[in-house]
Amino acid sequence: MNINYIEAWNMLNSMDNILLITHSNPDGDAVGSIFALYGILKKLGKNVRCEIKDIPAVMQMLVREDAFCDFREDFVVSVDLADPQLMMNDIKARYSDKVDLSIDHHETNVTYAKNTLLKADAAAACEVIFNMVSEAGFEIDTEIARCLYVGLATDTGCFRYANTTASTLRVAASLIEKGVESAKINTDIFETKSRAYVMFETMAMNSLRTYLDGKCAVLLITKDMYTKANITESESQGINALPRQIEGVLAGVTVKERTNGTYKISIRSREPLNASEICALMGGGGHRLAAGCELSGTAQSVINTVVKFVKQAIEEL
Amino acid sequence: MNINYIEAWNMLNSMDNILLITHSNPDGDAVGSIFALYGILKKLGKNVRCEIKDIPAVMQMLVREDAFCDFREDFVVSVDLADPQLMMNDIKARYSDKVDLSIDHHETNVTYAKNTLLKADAAAACEVIFNMVSEAGFEIDTEIARCLYVGLATDTGCFRYANTTASTLRVAASLIEKGVESAKINTDIFETKSRAYVMFETMAMNSLRTYLDGKCAVLLITKDMYTKANITESESQGINALPRQIEGVLAGVTVKERTNGTYKISIRSREPLNASEICALMGGGGHRLAAGCELSGTAQSVINTVVKFVKQAIEEL
């Protein structure tokens, strides 16, 4: 059943022994919304615990150590969770059909919970939680505000993306007035790169080549770049976003050398080019604007193959 | 004389044949504030013209073609200009002691104008202009709002920097409600780089050196980099943000070669380091976390000087 802010608030007030859950591989909105709601419910005098793992290092400052106690819950609340399939595996087995209240902002929410507070025009679950407590007249403290700010900032790319509304910005303003040190948080999350990553990025940028009159930009990442910069492939993911940022590029390609002459290809495209269709032709797949595949050969033969398929796709536009 | 919003507004209303000027190498706040004020004064039925050059390509959409007409001005207004020394050269000769009203947000404003509307807690001159017209009850249109948004977004790094206050975010919210397509502007300004800029950035990154156990990172931009990448100095401003992004860096320094052995220094600092104090010791100034100065000598002697003052400031923390 879909419920409104006050119904959700009254429901939370009437319950006790509450378990909070969110999605696996939690991002800033998952971490922010779970610990914000934890803080709110503790202030209401509730017995509350959280089930969450793999919290990114940069968000550790939101973690409440007392949130991992052990008791048998009477009420299960999910935050920022559109689908039980996205729960952590051990949570999924126990709770996929046992969520009492889902607080969410994904329009794709599959309404799996007994009660759903869904605001699809909110940029983040944190925005939904802020609006709920505001409507209820509940005063948050700096610690709760900090959690909500992190969720809001990460889900909007620090207020850059199209989901940032006037309302989002006003919520952020209220959180700053609650004492959130927003600039420090923004710097930590959005403006800080390790020295190893900067070194890696510089080497990657030096490999940049453009093809097809600048419509296709290719970075070639060799194994020795990881070694020289002392960085793992998973720490290097951010690099995939770079080639598409160049003006006029429709396909931003990153070719990453693996062992035994294989290469991992990432294609980020701009509308109307469909990266997923191009990668499918090379045995891969993904999303419309971000897809991947694997190829074998020499670096140059792999690049030639990718550029050939990109060319074909651009000609078909 | 320092005047308030309404006094400045009444002054603008009482004058005609108005010339608007700003600083050389205009950034988003200079371009945004000059064309916002132009639009406002045109709506008031005034005869207005602008003197501005070297507008970055990405801000061309704010330019009003009718702003470059020719008439003899009776009233000179500067926006986002802390010091007449920062005027374009040909403007400086004619107007350094002839500014009637300065609308600014730099706490370092040298109060060179007959009247000064200075709000040092505003993130941008555009925020000052918005607050002035709001207090006066003047309704802006989408075109003016777009100019103000660009100024606000660029001076705050799209609402990331420490100068972003609750008030800044509420102004941005109001501008979005005026119809500004903020997500598209953010993509164009913050997520898109020209091929020339990417080439320039790669060369700049290759020049990166760190000092003081990684607390000071320095980029050295030589004149031939501008030539090779085919980019102007004003198009290269974004580079100043890079060195501070490296983990552990307190002072991110960019040293840009100019003509005749002079170098333009930009220092971006992290708390608690005060970039403005460091630059003041070298004859410059600016904001606490972003300041600049000019030095003469060889590249290495200039870097040595900057690193020496940074070292001293770090030791005094």
Side-chain angles (χ1 to χ4, degrees), chain B residues 72-105:
Chain B
R72 172 141 181 183
E73 66 281 350
D74 295 320
F75 194 72
V76 180
V77 183
S78 70
V79 289
D80 196 40
L81 178 70
D83 190 319
Q85 291 307 315
L86 303 170
M87 290 176 176
M88 296 186 303
N89 277 329
D90 49 335
I91 292 288
K92 201 186 299 179
R94 283 181 288 155
Y95 298 106
S96 16
D97 58 349
K98 291 196 178 58
V99 178
D100 297 291
L101 172 61
S102 158
I103 300 180
D104 195 18
H105 70 116

Side-chain angles (χ1 to χ4, degrees), chain B residues 103-125:
Chain B
I103 300 180
D104 195 18
H105 70 116
H106 295 94
E107 61 180 347
T108 53
N109 188 297
V110 298
T111 53
Y112 56 90
K114 293 191 191 75
N115 301 280
T116 303
L117 172 61
L118 174 65
K119 299 289 173 184
D121 55 350

Side-chain angles (χ1 to χ4, degrees), chain A residues 114-136:
Chain A
K114 292 191 190 75
N115 301 280
T116 304
L117 172 62
L118 174 66
K119 299 289 174 184
D121 55 350
C126 283
E127 187 173 338
V128 181
I129 292 174
F130 178 89
N131 287 331
M132 175 181 73
V133 297
S134 292
E135 197 152 320

